[in-house]
Amino acid sequence: MPPDSPDPWAGVRLHIVTGKGGTGKSTVAAALALALATRGKHVLLCEVEGRQGIARMFDVDPLPYAERRLATGLPAPGDAGGGVVHALHIDPESALLEYLSMYYKLGPAGRALDRFGVVEFATTIAPGVRDVLLTGKVYEATKRNARNKGAIEYDAVVLDAPPTGRITQFLGVTNELAGLAKVGPIKTQSDSVTRLLRSDRTAVHLVTLLEEMPVQETIDGITDLRAHDLPVGGVVVNMVRPRELGAEDLRAVRAGTIDASTVAADLERAGLEANDALVAGLLTEARDHAERRALEDEQRDVVAGLDRPTYELPRLASGIDLGALYELAGSLREQGLP
């Protein structure tokens, strides 16, 4: 995205991150939260799948059903910095007890229900209740303002959401439940959550790899989101490999026109013994690399045709830790997300 183009995310308060399993959507969600914090924003990073992925990435103890401060945004040139990332692991059982306390004033009686198994029944048997509770808690964090005494007010909420294959079901179940509940707190909350999810204050970002299956699932996900009137955000191409060879060299490798004697001479100049087996092995690896690059370029063209802002994050050989997340956050900010 050109640096002088209008900021498409200026009014977004809820960033939802989804993607095919294995694409690194949780990593991207964490990096996005840190990127927002570099702009001086106070951010809540939420997860709903019960994997405690946020805790592992930030190397902290498993997250409770409570907002925990995780990191501070490091200011980049021209950024405000000073923002803070909090995290919240949302489980449906705790969300239900909180819901009962907020809307029905059950207090300790609500906790007693848990002992009798009512909570487990409601969140595992009743259709759609689990996802409604999860999205409802995200909504509550998003709509806070100065009137919510004792609660942290966030400038943005980042949700590490379920995979692309069930994202529309996860986000659309609130609207379905609203059709069943015609009056009362459930109806009111369902309508409010649906309005937020379908508004320009929300963006659903999709994470993919430069591989055929993840890209196709991204295409299908965008189609489903639009069919359900849910706002499609940007596409983040994750784990992009560095380019060791230029375009001309890649074409020559694929065409098989690289001279083995030239490779051997280069090895000898580097102080290595250039035997036939080593040269042949290097040429084979180069062909594999060139073919993979060609496939990746094909998928990059497909992603470019989706007519959505696109961002690329590098594959980090050292793995994902807090330092890596800051590096990825800086890359997102340089590219304009958020």
Side-chain angles (χ1 to χ4, degrees), residues 65 90-101 106-131 133-134:
Y65 186 70
I90 307 175
D91 68 87
E93 291 79 9
S94 298
L96 176 57
L97 293 177
E98 183 179 44
Y99 179 87
L100 293 173
S101 175
L106 291 186
R111 288 188 290 274
L113 294 177
D114 195 17
R115 292 197 295 272
F116 289 105
V118 175
V119 174
E120 182 180 1
F121 172 81
T123 56
T124 60
I125 304 301
V129 169
R130 180 184 184 279
D131 288 348
L133 292 167
L134 298 176

Side-chain angles (χ1 to χ4, degrees), residues 32-71:
L32 176 57
L34 283 172
L36 283 159
T38 66
R39 301 182 62 179
K41 294 182 179 293
H42 291 270
V43 185
L44 178 64
L45 173 61
C46 303
E47 65 178 357
V48 294
E49 294 184 280
R51 295 183 293 106
Q52 289 288 348
I54 293 175
R56 287 193 295 272
M57 284 186 290
F58 285 85
D59 193 24
V60 297
D61 293 334
L63 298 174
Y65 186 70
E67 293 154 34
R68 173 182 292 177
R69 178 172 176 147
L70 280 187

Side-chain angles (χ1 to χ4, degrees), residues 178-330:
L180 299 176
K182 302 300 183 182
V183 295
I186 293 178
K187 171 67 173 175
T188 300
Q189 185 188 36
S190 297
D191 288 345
S192 298
V193 173
T194 298
R195 283 195 297 272
L196 171 65
L197 294 178
R198 291 182 171 178
S199 73
D200 57 7
R201 292 176 294 157
T202 297
V204 184
H205 307 292
L206 298 100
V207 182
T208 187
L209 306 178
L210 291 177
E211 299 174 4
E212 185 174 356
M213 288 185 63
V215 169
Q216 184 58 54
E217 189 159 320
T218 299
I219 296 170
D220 295 340
I222 290 174
T223 301
D224 288 345
L225 288 168
R226 287 173 172 163
H228 288 79
D229 297 323
L230 293 165
V232 181
V235 176
V236 180
V237 180
N238 196 24
M239 293 187 272
V240 176
R241 299 171 185 271
R243 285 188 173 272
E244 290 86 1
L245 299 175
E248 291 186 9
D249 290 332
L250 289 171
R251 282 193 292 269
V253 169
R254 286 196 298 271
T257 59
I258 297 293
D259 186 5
S261 63
T262 301
V263 175
D266 288 341
L267 289 172
E268 290 175 354
R269 279 195 294 272
L272 300 174
E273 181 181 350
N275 57 60
D276 292 343
L278 176 59
V279 172
L282 288 174
L283 289 175
T284 298
E285 289 189 12
R287 279 193 296 273
D288 291 342
H289 175 76
E291 290 170 2
R292 181 179 180 84
R293 277 290 175 218
L295 294 174
E296 289 177 348
D297 288 342
E298 289 177 7
Q299 296 306 313
R300 183 178 278 108
D301 290 340
V302 174
V303 171
L306 295 177
D307 192 30
R308 297 307 308 151
T310 303
Y311 314 88
E312 292 195 0
L313 291 176
R315 176 186 292 273
L316 300 179
S318 59
I320 300 300
D321 57 13
L322 184 56
L325 290 175
Y326 277 119
E327 182 178 344
L328 296 175

